[in-house]
């Protein structure tokens, strides 16, 4: 794991957005796994700004969403599909056939294997963008998830439902489809951004524990290309100097 300590939240966001742009410019056919959440909103904003400024072509890229709620329609304003359309696809003119979403409309039994086969067909994910939940969840791999978990239907924890209900329109779902930890570990590289005080405990736990299912993010530390970008608040409970 490589930790990148930033001097400000803006610098952390810029580091992540610039990394994504560099990768797209170097590898136009890159396959990127996308994450949602408040943390990622300014990243997508900056990504769009740099892409427009530098005229970066995204027409050959392919994207996979990390997770999606179950029990709401795909065009619900709080679905992750709506989120990513709003923040990235529409601003960058990315076509719908350049992205795959967890198949929430298929029989749920086969949703996981179907999604995994789509990832395999595309040659795997080159770069997976990640945030972290206050409880250490990754995607919707909640505490208790196993390291060898694959894409599947998951129950959302009460903690996550409370945190995510801020800004959610309507009733918060109880389940989701999420890539599993092992699925995420198969991405060629992982890029995690953590910002804000509310994540400082999760970051401290992540750095001090290994393979601990009470904080699924700890499973990612065995990945050989795992970059963790922190802003000063997220890093406020650990002893690292820039
Ligand atoms: C969500 C998503 C995660 C995200 C996390 C943190 O529920 N499933 O992929 O990393 O929670 O979200 P936020 O950035 O809003 O704190």
């Amino acid at each position: 794991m490589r930790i990148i300590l930033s001097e400000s939240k803006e610098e952390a966001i810029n580091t992540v957005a610039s990394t994504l742009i560099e990768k797209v410019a170097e590898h136009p056919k890159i396959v990127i796994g996308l994450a949602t959440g408040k943390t990622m909103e300014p990243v997508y904003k900056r990504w769009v700004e740099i892409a427009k400024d530098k005229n970066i072509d995204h027409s050959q890229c392919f994207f996979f969403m990390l997770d999606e709620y179950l029990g709401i329609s795909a065009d619900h304003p709080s679905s992750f599909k709506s989120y990513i359309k709003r923040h990235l696809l529409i601003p960058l003119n990315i076509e719908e056939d350049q992205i795959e979403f967890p198949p929430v409309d298929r029989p749920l039994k086969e949703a996981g294997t179907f999604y995994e086969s789509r990832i395999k067909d595309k040659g795997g994910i080159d770069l997976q963008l990640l945030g972290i939940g206050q409880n250490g969840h990754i995607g919707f791999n909640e505490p208790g998830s196993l390291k060898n978990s694959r894409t599947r239907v998951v129950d959302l924890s009460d903690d996550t439902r409370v945190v995510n209900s801020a800004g959610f329109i309507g009733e918060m779902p109880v389940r989701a489809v999420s890539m599993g930890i092992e699925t995420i570990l198969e991405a060629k590289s992982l890029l995690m951004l953590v910002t804000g005080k509310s994540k400082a405990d999760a970051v401290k736990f992540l750095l001090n524990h290994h393979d601990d299912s009470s904080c699924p993010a700890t499973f990612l530390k065995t990945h050989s290309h795992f970059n963790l970008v922190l802003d000063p608040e997220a890093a406020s409970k650990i002893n690292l100097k820039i």
Side-chain angles (χ1 to χ4, degrees), residues 147 180-187 190 219-223:
K147 191 173 187 178
I181 294 291
E182 196 170 64
T183 319
I184 294 166
L185 281 169
E186 283 171 2
L190 307 178
F219 290 133
L220 306 182
K221 291 168 74 176
T222 50
H223 196 288

Side-chain angles (χ1 to χ4, degrees), residues 10 18 21 38 69 77 99 115 139 143 156 158 163 169 185 216 221 233:
E10 290 65 37
S18 307
I21 289 280
K38 293 213 169 48
Y69 289 117
I99 183 162
Y115 204 48
L156 302 182
D158 292 344
V163 173
I169 296 165
L185 281 169
K221 291 168 74 176
E233 287 190 351

Side-chain angles (χ1 to χ4, degrees), residues 35-40 66-67 69 80 130-134 137-140 160 163-164 198-199:
T36 55
K38 293 213 169 48
T39 310
M40 293 302 152
L66 180 61
D67 48 10
Y69 289 117
F80 290 166
L130 295 166
I132 188 173
Q134 289 177 28
H137 76 220
I138 295 299
F140 275 132
T160 295
V163 173
N164 286 18
S198 65
K199 304 288 175 68

